[in-house]
Amino acid sequence: MSISALSDLIDPAKCPRLVLKVGSALLVGVDGAPRRDWLAALVAEIAAARGRGQEVLVVSSGAIALGARRLGMDKGGRGSLSDAQAAASVGQIALAGLWAELLGQHGLIAAQILLTLDDLEDRRRYLNATATLGRLLSAGAVPVINENDSVATNEIRFGDNDRLAARVAQAAEAKGVLLLSDIDGLYDRDPRAPGAQRVPLVRGVTAEIHAMATGGSSSGLGSGGMTSKLQAAEIAELAGIALGIVDGRPESPIGHALGEGSGTLFLSRGKRRARKAWLGGRMRVKGSVHVDAGAAKALARGSSLLAAGVTAVDGAFERGDVIAVIGPAGAVLGRGLSEYDSADCALLLGHSSHKHAGILGYAPRSAIIHRDQMVML
Ligand code: GLU
């Protein structure tokens, strides 16, 4: 039973586990104070979902915005990295306390998890997060997750909770993600432009879909915007997860959006094996190899990438790093774990496998990327 409508996201039979992402502008008012009444109504919706037998994980933003107000920082605490780190530190306690209190009013136990990018990029740490989330859910708790902004630096951070939510859904093996936004879905052009139409259903985040997204966060409180939501949808669809965007602003936003039939649903591209799903969602790519037309065709048929079809190597990477595979027309065809470091790849390119031992002086692997370690995009 796959998810084909937004309302399926709250159907425990079709979506037994849901990740709900709540943005900063919804949680924190323009005065910098938490929007308690709105959040209390949302928590009642979460409690109702739990009552129907659906497990819910929350990805909650708002730490930086809440902390900035308490520390008297300007620009919502986003003026500099050190401001954001300090603000998040102060705001996260308040944020977690708020969730714990309001969930507690429904007899639900909140569990805080703070993640950094590497916790989900590194396979071992990713599996560790999967185990923790699974145990929390089986114990009946509601995980409330945010990025660990106090220690994250620009190089090692997600920076937006949209992609974090999609990655968490993968780690938690959820079938659906619901992003509560300050807009009621994706529009076919700038939503303020005359004649702009909401796109209710998206089958695959294509270049045409990307062209519809405009700019960053409209509220100035979060860091998301439609661009990061589309990136989240891409991670989700590759992992076999459906992703919805609905307007989070009304009271009880989930019921409101489903009642009205508004929002955008991004369909998944079917189920992927867990390891491939993790690989497809990896965000940091260390380098790339360019391939010729023959290799591109073989890859599309599911073959491994052989050095004979590689025409160029970019970047400095180690064996086991994720690299992109770029086709003759310049499009990224896929991503996979390299069997060689970049220097060895450069020595091997264009040469067929039986020559590798002679070139490198050691027993070679037969492929640059083995097909089990590769996802086509
Ligand atoms: N992690 C940030 C916070 O808690 C929010 C990131 C975002 O805006 O998506 O404030």
Side-chain angles (χ1 to χ4, degrees):
M1 260 190 295
S2 64
I3 294 169
S4 56
L6 267 174
S7 56
D8 293 344
L9 287 174
I10 62 156
D11 177 351
K14 290 184 174 158
C15 186
R17 216 169 249 188
L18 175 73
V19 172
L20 181 68
K21 184 255 170 174
V22 189
S24 300
L26 299 172
L27 270 157
V28 184
V30 273
D31 58 353
R35 297 178 61 224
R36 274 187 83 91
D37 293 348
W38 176 87
L39 187 57
L42 177 68
V43 167
E45 293 196 291
I46 295 171
R50 285 286 306 254
R52 289 192 301 271
Q54 185 178 44
E55 291 173 329
V56 180
L57 300 96
V58 175
V59 171
S60 175
S61 306
I64 297 174
L66 281 179
R69 182 216 194 197
R70 291 175 185 218
L71 293 174
M73 286 175 175
D74 57 6
K75 297 186 181 151
R78 291 172 191 266
S80 68
L81 178 63
S82 53
D83 276 10
Q85 289 172 322
S89 206
V90 170
Q92 185 60 37
I93 291 187
L95 187 63
L98 196 58
W99 279 104
E101 181 198 333
L102 296 176
L103 285 164
Q105 289 172 3
H106 295 268
L108 294 170
I109 296 169
Q112 174 183 260
I113 301 203
L114 299 179
L115 292 170
T116 55
L117 182 64
D118 277 342
D119 290 326
L120 300 179
E121 294 281 285
D122 177 272
R123 181 80 180 155
R124 200 172 45 82
R125 285 159 71 178
Y126 174 87
L127 293 176
N128 181 36
T130 298
T132 308
L133 292 170
R135 185 66 191 101
L136 281 170
L137 290 166
S138 70
V142 177
V144 179
I145 300 151
N146 196 359
E147 183 158 18
N148 196 349
D149 291 308
S150 312
V151 295
T153 61
N154 285 337
E155 297 75 46
I156 59 153
R157 69 199 298 252
F158 280 93
D160 67 84
N161 277 1
D162 299 315
R163 288 177 301 167
L164 176 65
R167 281 301 251 168
V168 162
Q170 259 185 288
E173 288 157 2
K175 287 251 165 51
V177 177
L178 188 58
L179 304 178
L180 297 185
S181 178
D182 54 5
I183 185 160
D184 62 349
L186 172 71
Y187 278 74
D188 61 357
R189 68 202 82 165
D190 184 334
R192 290 160 301 195
Q197 299 270 349
R198 183 170 50 82
V199 183
L201 194 70
V202 176
R203 292 172 204 277
V205 183
T206 56
E208 190 195 349
I209 296 289
H210 273 295
M212 296 175 184
T214 48
S217 161
S218 56
S219 63
L221 276 182
S223 49
M226 199 47 77
T227 305
S228 69
K229 290 179 178 51
L230 291 183
Q231 289 167 343
E234 274 182 314
I235 295 171
E237 71 172 18
L238 278 174
I241 298 166
L243 180 141
I245 300 176
V246 297
D247 188 356
R249 291 168 300 182
E251 183 110 339
S252 307
I254 302 175
H256 186 270
L258 297 180
E260 277 208 326
S262 59
T264 297
L265 179 70
F266 296 80
L267 298 178
S268 84
R269 291 212 225 161
K271 182 85 192 113
R272 293 234 177 191
R273 282 184 25 229
R275 187 181 170 78
K276 290 224 174 186
W278 166 77
L279 201 54
R282 289 260 324 225
M283 298 187 357
R284 227 175 314 159
V285 175
K286 291 280 174 66
S288 55
V289 287
H290 295 255
V291 303
D292 62 21
K297 240 189 229 156
L299 292 176
R301 286 197 304 267
S303 303
S304 296
L305 174 63
L306 302 179
V310 175
T311 55
V313 178
D314 289 334
F317 50 88
E318 299 294 322
R319 182 167 178 250
D321 280 344
V322 179
I323 57 173
V325 180
I326 300 177
V332 179
L333 305 177
R335 221 178 273 160
L337 302 183
S338 179
E339 298 282 358
Y340 291 97
D341 64 28
S342 46
D344 284 356
C345 279
L347 290 173
L348 296 181
L349 66 87
H351 294 291
S352 55
S353 304
H354 67 272
K355 295 205 180 127
H356 293 186
I359 296 169
L360 294 181
Y362 65 94
R365 306 236 158 201
S366 61
I368 297 289
I369 305 175
H370 190 273
R371 61 202 184 113
D372 289 348
Q373 312 288 358
M374 179 156 41
V375 276
M376 300 312 288
L377 299 176

